[in-house]
Amino acid sequence: ISPDCFGNDIEAEIDTQLKELEKMKSEQAKLDQELKKLEKTQKNVAAEIHNIENKIEKLENDITTSRNRILQLEKDRALLRKDIEGLSQDISSSKTKISQAMVRAYKNNVNFDFWSVFLGSSDPAEVEEQWYLFQKYSEHEMGNISRYLNKRQNLQNKLKEIEQKIRLEAVLKEKLVLDEKNVKKLVETRKSLLNQLLVDKKKFQSNLAELVAAQKNVTNLISQLQKE
């Protein structure tokens, strides 16, 4: 084999390796570009996960606050119901007292001897005085009933407001719980995506490392061929 022929073979091999090297460099540039895109996506996803986790924390705090509000409203409702029941008993008691006073007054009108026993006196002036006192007593109890009724009505209005607040707060809490559930699903999806991006990044880095090593080998081979 002539030296010229051998030289031509070396030059051809060098040319082939140079083309391979250029191809590798082009592939490396593409890999570098893809890796940068992947790292940018990874950064954005990580930031999104951080924001979602902050949102979850806020939702959890809002849910706790809502539950506490409901508990307080339920306590207020129980106290109002107790007060309303107490007023109802007071109203019933006053009505009973008036009924008893009316019965006594009636018996006084139809049976004078009854009052002689009941009052310990048969003096008409004393009977008239007692009748006057019964009237005043009845007016007093009627005044009490009127006050009790007004107060009870006010409490019943407040009770309706509280019950409405409890219903609205319960709806809000359920919405918050649903939002939390959906957001947690979203963050799990983003975490899965982030994990996949990390796997892909390692693959890209591994491919780049292999490509750089291959380029080094080709560069060394070209250098040796050029020496020959």
PDB file of all heavy atoms in Angstrom, residues 37-53 186-198:
ATOM      1  N   LYS A  37     -34.683  24.236  29.404  1.00  0.00           N
ATOM      2  CA  LYS A  37     -36.147  24.295  29.425  1.00  0.00           C
ATOM      3  C   LYS A  37     -36.702  23.475  30.585  1.00  0.00           C
ATOM      4  O   LYS A  37     -37.627  23.893  31.286  1.00  0.00           O
ATOM      5  CB  LYS A  37     -36.714  23.769  28.106  1.00  0.00           C
ATOM      6  CG  LYS A  37     -36.505  24.687  26.920  1.00  0.00           C
ATOM      7  CD  LYS A  37     -37.139  24.092  25.681  1.00  0.00           C
ATOM      8  CE  LYS A  37     -36.954  25.000  24.465  1.00  0.00           C
ATOM      9  NZ  LYS A  37     -37.536  24.387  23.239  1.00  0.00           N
ATOM     10  N   LEU A  38     -36.116  22.279  30.748  1.00  0.00           N
ATOM     11  CA  LEU A  38     -36.570  21.390  31.824  1.00  0.00           C
ATOM     12  C   LEU A  38     -36.331  22.031  33.186  1.00  0.00           C
ATOM     13  O   LEU A  38     -37.196  21.984  34.072  1.00  0.00           O
ATOM     14  CB  LEU A  38     -35.845  20.051  31.715  1.00  0.00           C
ATOM     15  CG  LEU A  38     -36.317  18.919  32.640  1.00  0.00           C
ATOM     16  CD1 LEU A  38     -36.147  17.570  31.956  1.00  0.00           C
ATOM     17  CD2 LEU A  38     -35.537  18.921  33.947  1.00  0.00           C
ATOM     18  N   GLU A  39     -35.155  22.626  33.366  1.00  0.00           N
ATOM     19  CA  GLU A  39     -34.828  23.262  34.647  1.00  0.00           C
ATOM     20  C   GLU A  39     -35.745  24.448  34.923  1.00  0.00           C
ATOM     21  O   GLU A  39     -36.126  24.703  36.069  1.00  0.00           O
ATOM     22  CB  GLU A  39     -33.364  23.700  34.649  1.00  0.00           C
ATOM     23  CG  GLU A  39     -32.392  22.529  34.756  1.00  0.00           C
ATOM     24  CD  GLU A  39     -30.944  22.959  34.624  1.00  0.00           C
ATOM     25  OE1 GLU A  39     -30.703  24.058  34.072  1.00  0.00           O
ATOM     26  OE2 GLU A  39     -30.061  22.192  35.052  1.00  0.00           O
ATOM     27  N   LYS A  40     -36.111  25.190  33.849  1.00  0.00           N
ATOM     28  CA  LYS A  40     -37.046  26.307  34.016  1.00  0.00           C
ATOM     29  C   LYS A  40     -38.419  25.802  34.433  1.00  0.00           C
ATOM     30  O   LYS A  40     -39.061  26.364  35.335  1.00  0.00           O
ATOM     31  CB  LYS A  40     -37.144  27.091  32.708  1.00  0.00           C
ATOM     32  CG  LYS A  40     -38.029  28.327  32.813  1.00  0.00           C
ATOM     33  CD  LYS A  40     -38.060  29.094  31.505  1.00  0.00           C
ATOM     34  CE  LYS A  40     -38.948  30.325  31.613  1.00  0.00           C
ATOM     35  NZ  LYS A  40     -39.016  31.086  30.346  1.00  0.00           N
ATOM     36  N   THR A  41     -38.869  24.735  33.772  1.00  0.00           N
ATOM     37  CA  THR A  41     -40.163  24.130  34.129  1.00  0.00           C
ATOM     38  C   THR A  41     -40.121  23.614  35.563  1.00  0.00           C
ATOM     39  O   THR A  41     -41.080  23.791  36.337  1.00  0.00           O
ATOM     40  CB  THR A  41     -40.487  22.967  33.172  1.00  0.00           C
ATOM     41  OG1 THR A  41     -40.524  23.451  31.834  1.00  0.00           O
ATOM     42  CG2 THR A  41     -41.835  22.348  33.521  1.00  0.00           C
ATOM     43  N   GLN A  42     -39.011  22.984  35.916  1.00  0.00           N
ATOM     44  CA  GLN A  42     -38.834  22.459  37.273  1.00  0.00           C
ATOM     45  C   GLN A  42     -38.930  23.580  38.299  1.00  0.00           C
ATOM     46  O   GLN A  42     -39.595  23.448  39.333  1.00  0.00           O
ATOM     47  CB  GLN A  42     -37.477  21.766  37.380  1.00  0.00           C
ATOM     48  CG  GLN A  42     -37.167  21.226  38.772  1.00  0.00           C
ATOM     49  CD  GLN A  42     -35.752  20.676  38.848  1.00  0.00           C
ATOM     50  OE1 GLN A  42     -35.081  20.501  37.832  1.00  0.00           O
ATOM     51  NE2 GLN A  42     -35.292  20.417  40.050  1.00  0.00           N
ATOM     52  N   LYS A  43     -38.288  24.700  38.002  1.00  0.00           N
ATOM     53  CA  LYS A  43     -38.322  25.854  38.906  1.00  0.00           C
ATOM     54  C   LYS A  43     -39.741  26.402  39.045  1.00  0.00           C
ATOM     55  O   LYS A  43     -40.197  26.720  40.149  1.00  0.00           O
ATOM     56  CB  LYS A  43     -37.385  26.943  38.376  1.00  0.00           C
ATOM     57  CG  LYS A  43     -37.287  28.161  39.277  1.00  0.00           C
ATOM     58  CD  LYS A  43     -36.305  29.169  38.696  1.00  0.00           C
ATOM     59  CE  LYS A  43     -36.220  30.405  39.600  1.00  0.00           C
ATOM     60  NZ  LYS A  43     -35.270  31.413  39.043  1.00  0.00           N
ATOM     61  N   ASN A  44     -40.439  26.497  37.910  1.00  0.00           N
ATOM     62  CA  ASN A  44     -41.818  27.014  37.937  1.00  0.00           C
ATOM     63  C   ASN A  44     -42.749  26.087  38.720  1.00  0.00           C
ATOM     64  O   ASN A  44     -43.602  26.542  39.492  1.00  0.00           O
ATOM     65  CB  ASN A  44     -42.343  27.182  36.513  1.00  0.00           C
ATOM     66  CG  ASN A  44     -41.646  28.307  35.767  1.00  0.00           C
ATOM     67  OD1 ASN A  44     -41.080  29.204  36.383  1.00  0.00           O
ATOM     68  ND2 ASN A  44     -41.663  28.256  34.446  1.00  0.00           N
ATOM     69  N   VAL A  45     -42.592  24.785  38.509  1.00  0.00           N
ATOM     70  CA  VAL A  45     -43.434  23.809  39.213  1.00  0.00           C
ATOM     71  C   VAL A  45     -43.158  23.849  40.712  1.00  0.00           C
ATOM     72  O   VAL A  45     -44.078  23.783  41.534  1.00  0.00           O
ATOM     73  CB  VAL A  45     -43.216  22.392  38.652  1.00  0.00           C
ATOM     74  CG1 VAL A  45     -43.938  21.347  39.520  1.00  0.00           C
ATOM     75  CG2 VAL A  45     -43.712  22.296  37.220  1.00  0.00           C
ATOM     76  N   ALA A  46     -41.868  23.961  41.076  1.00  0.00           N
ATOM     77  CA  ALA A  46     -41.506  24.039  42.496  1.00  0.00           C
ATOM     78  C   ALA A  46     -42.125  25.287  43.136  1.00  0.00           C
ATOM     79  O   ALA A  46     -42.627  25.233  44.268  1.00  0.00           O
ATOM     80  CB  ALA A  46     -39.988  24.059  42.651  1.00  0.00           C
ATOM     81  N   ALA A  47     -42.088  26.412  42.396  1.00  0.00           N
ATOM     82  CA  ALA A  47     -42.691  27.647  42.913  1.00  0.00           C
ATOM     83  C   ALA A  47     -44.209  27.490  43.043  1.00  0.00           C
ATOM     84  O   ALA A  47     -44.815  27.958  44.019  1.00  0.00           O
ATOM     85  CB  ALA A  47     -42.364  28.814  41.979  1.00  0.00           C
ATOM     86  N   GLU A  48     -44.827  26.815  42.074  1.00  0.00           N
ATOM     87  CA  GLU A  48     -46.269  26.588  42.124  1.00  0.00           C
ATOM     88  C   GLU A  48     -46.638  25.712  43.318  1.00  0.00           C
ATOM     89  O   GLU A  48     -47.626  25.977  44.011  1.00  0.00           O
ATOM     90  CB  GLU A  48     -46.744  25.920  40.830  1.00  0.00           C
ATOM     91  CG  GLU A  48     -48.250  25.775  40.742  1.00  0.00           C
ATOM     92  CD  GLU A  48     -48.707  25.132  39.449  1.00  0.00           C
ATOM     93  OE1 GLU A  48     -47.851  24.757  38.626  1.00  0.00           O
ATOM     94  OE2 GLU A  48     -49.926  24.983  39.273  1.00  0.00           O
ATOM     95  N   ILE A  49     -45.836  24.686  43.554  1.00  0.00           N
ATOM     96  CA  ILE A  49     -46.078  23.808  44.711  1.00  0.00           C
ATOM     97  C   ILE A  49     -45.994  24.609  46.006  1.00  0.00           C
ATOM     98  O   ILE A  49     -46.823  24.448  46.914  1.00  0.00           O
ATOM     99  CB  ILE A  49     -45.063  22.647  44.725  1.00  0.00           C
ATOM    100  CG1 ILE A  49     -45.373  21.664  43.589  1.00  0.00           C
ATOM    101  CG2 ILE A  49     -45.089  21.916  46.072  1.00  0.00           C
ATOM    102  CD1 ILE A  49     -44.334  20.579  43.410  1.00  0.00           C
ATOM    103  N   HIS A  50     -45.000  25.488  46.088  1.00  0.00           N
ATOM    104  CA  HIS A  50     -44.840  26.329  47.280  1.00  0.00           C
ATOM    105  C   HIS A  50     -46.078  27.201  47.495  1.00  0.00           C
ATOM    106  O   HIS A  50     -46.590  27.307  48.620  1.00  0.00           O
ATOM    107  CB  HIS A  50     -43.596  27.205  47.120  1.00  0.00           C
ATOM    108  CG  HIS A  50     -43.365  28.145  48.277  1.00  0.00           C
ATOM    109  ND1 HIS A  50     -42.963  27.720  49.522  1.00  0.00           N
ATOM    110  CD2 HIS A  50     -43.520  29.498  48.369  1.00  0.00           C
ATOM    111  CE1 HIS A  50     -42.861  28.754  50.335  1.00  0.00           C
ATOM    112  NE2 HIS A  50     -43.194  29.845  49.671  1.00  0.00           N
ATOM    113  N   ASN A  51     -46.563  27.810  46.408  1.00  0.00           N
ATOM    114  CA  ASN A  51     -47.759  28.660  46.512  1.00  0.00           C
ATOM    115  C   ASN A  51     -48.994  27.846  46.898  1.00  0.00           C
ATOM    116  O   ASN A  51     -49.818  28.296  47.704  1.00  0.00           O
ATOM    117  CB  ASN A  51     -48.003  29.368  45.178  1.00  0.00           C
ATOM    118  CG  ASN A  51     -46.941  30.405  44.862  1.00  0.00           C
ATOM    119  OD1 ASN A  51     -46.305  30.937  45.770  1.00  0.00           O
ATOM    120  ND2 ASN A  51     -46.735  30.685  43.586  1.00  0.00           N
ATOM    121  N   ILE A  52     -49.105  26.646  46.318  1.00  0.00           N
ATOM    122  CA  ILE A  52     -50.257  25.796  46.635  1.00  0.00           C
ATOM    123  C   ILE A  52     -50.218  25.363  48.097  1.00  0.00           C
ATOM    124  O   ILE A  52     -51.244  25.336  48.781  1.00  0.00           O
ATOM    125  CB  ILE A  52     -50.286  24.562  45.706  1.00  0.00           C
ATOM    126  CG1 ILE A  52     -50.552  24.987  44.264  1.00  0.00           C
ATOM    127  CG2 ILE A  52     -51.374  23.585  46.146  1.00  0.00           C
ATOM    128  CD1 ILE A  52     -50.430  23.856  43.256  1.00  0.00           C
ATOM    129  N   GLU A  53     -49.026  25.033  48.584  1.00  0.00           N
ATOM    130  CA  GLU A  53     -48.898  24.619  49.993  1.00  0.00           C
ATOM    131  C   GLU A  53     -49.248  25.772  50.927  1.00  0.00           C
ATOM    132  O   GLU A  53     -49.837  25.559  51.991  1.00  0.00           O
ATOM    133  CB  GLU A  53     -47.481  24.108  50.243  1.00  0.00           C
ATOM    134  CG  GLU A  53     -47.233  22.735  49.624  1.00  0.00           C
ATOM    135  CD  GLU A  53     -45.815  22.236  49.823  1.00  0.00           C
ATOM    136  OE1 GLU A  53     -44.919  23.090  50.064  1.00  0.00           O
ATOM    137  OE2 GLU A  53     -45.600  21.007  49.725  1.00  0.00           O
ATOM    138  N   LEU A 186     -54.331  18.759  43.639  1.00  0.00           N
ATOM    139  CA  LEU A 186     -53.509  19.518  42.691  1.00  0.00           C
ATOM    140  C   LEU A 186     -52.043  19.495  43.085  1.00  0.00           C
ATOM    141  O   LEU A 186     -51.163  19.291  42.233  1.00  0.00           O
ATOM    142  CB  LEU A 186     -54.016  20.964  42.616  1.00  0.00           C
ATOM    143  CG  LEU A 186     -53.237  21.906  41.696  1.00  0.00           C
ATOM    144  CD1 LEU A 186     -53.278  21.401  40.258  1.00  0.00           C
ATOM    145  CD2 LEU A 186     -53.801  23.326  41.787  1.00  0.00           C
ATOM    146  N   VAL A 187     -51.775  19.682  44.377  1.00  0.00           N
ATOM    147  CA  VAL A 187     -50.371  19.705  44.812  1.00  0.00           C
ATOM    148  C   VAL A 187     -49.728  18.333  44.658  1.00  0.00           C
ATOM    149  O   VAL A 187     -48.538  18.220  44.324  1.00  0.00           O
ATOM    150  CB  VAL A 187     -50.255  20.215  46.267  1.00  0.00           C
ATOM    151  CG1 VAL A 187     -50.603  19.137  47.283  1.00  0.00           C
ATOM    152  CG2 VAL A 187     -48.833  20.725  46.541  1.00  0.00           C
ATOM    153  N   GLU A 188     -50.503  17.271  44.849  1.00  0.00           N
ATOM    154  CA  GLU A 188     -49.963  15.926  44.649  1.00  0.00           C
ATOM    155  C   GLU A 188     -49.632  15.701  43.173  1.00  0.00           C
ATOM    156  O   GLU A 188     -48.608  15.079  42.843  1.00  0.00           O
ATOM    157  CB  GLU A 188     -50.968  14.875  45.136  1.00  0.00           C
ATOM    158  CG  GLU A 188     -51.120  14.811  46.645  1.00  0.00           C
ATOM    159  CD  GLU A 188     -49.805  14.577  47.359  1.00  0.00           C
ATOM    160  OE1 GLU A 188     -49.020  13.733  46.879  1.00  0.00           O
ATOM    161  OE2 GLU A 188     -49.560  15.246  48.381  1.00  0.00           O
ATOM    162  N   THR A 189     -50.489  16.227  42.290  1.00  0.00           N
ATOM    163  CA  THR A 189     -50.229  16.119  40.851  1.00  0.00           C
ATOM    164  C   THR A 189     -48.955  16.864  40.481  1.00  0.00           C
ATOM    165  O   THR A 189     -48.118  16.360  39.719  1.00  0.00           O
ATOM    166  CB  THR A 189     -51.407  16.709  40.045  1.00  0.00           C
ATOM    167  OG1 THR A 189     -52.595  15.993  40.384  1.00  0.00           O
ATOM    168  CG2 THR A 189     -51.168  16.578  38.553  1.00  0.00           C
ATOM    169  N   ARG A 190     -48.793  18.070  41.025  1.00  0.00           N
ATOM    170  CA  ARG A 190     -47.598  18.866  40.739  1.00  0.00           C
ATOM    171  C   ARG A 190     -46.335  18.216  41.324  1.00  0.00           C
ATOM    172  O   ARG A 190     -45.267  18.272  40.708  1.00  0.00           O
ATOM    173  CB  ARG A 190     -47.767  20.276  41.311  1.00  0.00           C
ATOM    174  CG  ARG A 190     -48.823  21.106  40.599  1.00  0.00           C
ATOM    175  CD  ARG A 190     -48.426  21.343  39.140  1.00  0.00           C
ATOM    176  NE  ARG A 190     -49.395  22.167  38.439  1.00  0.00           N
ATOM    177  CZ  ARG A 190     -50.428  21.685  37.770  1.00  0.00           C
ATOM    178  NH1 ARG A 190     -50.636  20.375  37.708  1.00  0.00           N
ATOM    179  NH2 ARG A 190     -51.257  22.491  37.146  1.00  0.00           N
ATOM    180  N   LYS A 191     -46.464  17.597  42.464  1.00  0.00           N
ATOM    181  CA  LYS A 191     -45.308  16.909  43.051  1.00  0.00           C
ATOM    182  C   LYS A 191     -44.893  15.711  42.194  1.00  0.00           C
ATOM    183  O   LYS A 191     -43.696  15.438  42.036  1.00  0.00           O
ATOM    184  CB  LYS A 191     -45.626  16.466  44.483  1.00  0.00           C
ATOM    185  CG  LYS A 191     -45.615  17.608  45.491  1.00  0.00           C
ATOM    186  CD  LYS A 191     -45.906  17.119  46.900  1.00  0.00           C
ATOM    187  CE  LYS A 191     -45.834  18.256  47.902  1.00  0.00           C
ATOM    188  NZ  LYS A 191     -46.124  17.821  49.293  1.00  0.00           N
ATOM    189  N   SER A 192     -45.878  15.010  41.664  1.00  0.00           N
ATOM    190  CA  SER A 192     -45.586  13.884  40.770  1.00  0.00           C
ATOM    191  C   SER A 192     -44.871  14.388  39.514  1.00  0.00           C
ATOM    192  O   SER A 192     -43.908  13.767  39.045  1.00  0.00           O
ATOM    193  CB  SER A 192     -46.876  13.160  40.374  1.00  0.00           C
ATOM    194  OG  SER A 192     -47.499  12.582  41.506  1.00  0.00           O
ATOM    195  N   LEU A 193     -45.358  15.521  38.994  1.00  0.00           N
ATOM    196  CA  LEU A 193     -44.717  16.125  37.822  1.00  0.00           C
ATOM    197  C   LEU A 193     -43.286  16.537  38.146  1.00  0.00           C
ATOM    198  O   LEU A 193     -42.366  16.304  37.338  1.00  0.00           O
ATOM    199  CB  LEU A 193     -45.521  17.341  37.358  1.00  0.00           C
ATOM    200  CG  LEU A 193     -44.924  18.175  36.213  1.00  0.00           C
ATOM    201  CD1 LEU A 193     -44.723  17.317  34.976  1.00  0.00           C
ATOM    202  CD2 LEU A 193     -45.808  19.376  35.909  1.00  0.00           C
ATOM    203  N   LEU A 194     -43.098  17.121  39.323  1.00  0.00           N
ATOM    204  CA  LEU A 194     -41.755  17.549  39.722  1.00  0.00           C
ATOM    205  C   LEU A 194     -40.812  16.357  39.838  1.00  0.00           C
ATOM    206  O   LEU A 194     -39.650  16.426  39.402  1.00  0.00           O
ATOM    207  CB  LEU A 194     -41.822  18.311  41.049  1.00  0.00           C
ATOM    208  CG  LEU A 194     -40.497  18.892  41.565  1.00  0.00           C
ATOM    209  CD1 LEU A 194     -39.931  19.892  40.566  1.00  0.00           C
ATOM    210  CD2 LEU A 194     -40.694  19.555  42.919  1.00  0.00           C
ATOM    211  N   ASN A 195     -41.303  15.282  40.406  1.00  0.00           N
ATOM    212  CA  ASN A 195     -40.480  14.073  40.530  1.00  0.00           C
ATOM    213  C   ASN A 195     -40.087  13.535  39.150  1.00  0.00           C
ATOM    214  O   ASN A 195     -38.938  13.103  38.936  1.00  0.00           O
ATOM    215  CB  ASN A 195     -41.239  13.000  41.315  1.00  0.00           C
ATOM    216  CG  ASN A 195     -41.375  13.342  42.777  1.00  0.00           C
ATOM    217  OD1 ASN A 195     -40.565  14.090  43.326  1.00  0.00           O
ATOM    218  ND2 ASN A 195     -42.400  12.814  43.427  1.00  0.00           N
ATOM    219  N   GLN A 196     -41.046  13.575  38.225  1.00  0.00           N
ATOM    220  CA  GLN A 196     -40.752  13.110  36.865  1.00  0.00           C
ATOM    221  C   GLN A 196     -39.729  14.023  36.196  1.00  0.00           C
ATOM    222  O   GLN A 196     -38.835  13.555  35.484  1.00  0.00           O
ATOM    223  CB  GLN A 196     -42.038  13.068  36.041  1.00  0.00           C
ATOM    224  CG  GLN A 196     -41.858  12.491  34.633  1.00  0.00           C
ATOM    225  CD  GLN A 196     -41.330  11.071  34.656  1.00  0.00           C
ATOM    226  OE1 GLN A 196     -41.844  10.215  35.380  1.00  0.00           O
ATOM    227  NE2 GLN A 196     -40.273  10.810  33.885  1.00  0.00           N
ATOM    228  N   LEU A 197     -39.851  15.314  36.440  1.00  0.00           N
ATOM    229  CA  LEU A 197     -38.881  16.259  35.890  1.00  0.00           C
ATOM    230  C   LEU A 197     -37.483  16.002  36.432  1.00  0.00           C
ATOM    231  O   LEU A 197     -36.487  16.112  35.703  1.00  0.00           O
ATOM    232  CB  LEU A 197     -39.312  17.697  36.210  1.00  0.00           C
ATOM    233  CG  LEU A 197     -40.522  18.228  35.455  1.00  0.00           C
ATOM    234  CD1 LEU A 197     -40.964  19.575  36.029  1.00  0.00           C
ATOM    235  CD2 LEU A 197     -40.215  18.376  33.967  1.00  0.00           C
ATOM    236  N   LEU A 198     -37.398  15.654  37.699  1.00  0.00           N
ATOM    237  CA  LEU A 198     -36.097  15.340  38.304  1.00  0.00           C
ATOM    238  C   LEU A 198     -35.487  14.093  37.658  1.00  0.00           C
ATOM    239  O   LEU A 198     -34.277  14.036  37.407  1.00  0.00           O
ATOM    240  CB  LEU A 198     -36.256  15.137  39.819  1.00  0.00           C
ATOM    241  CG  LEU A 198     -36.583  16.398  40.630  1.00  0.00           C
ATOM    242  CD1 LEU A 198     -36.918  16.026  42.069  1.00  0.00           C
ATOM    243  CD2 LEU A 198     -35.413  17.372  40.600  1.00  0.00           C
TER     244      LEU A 198
END
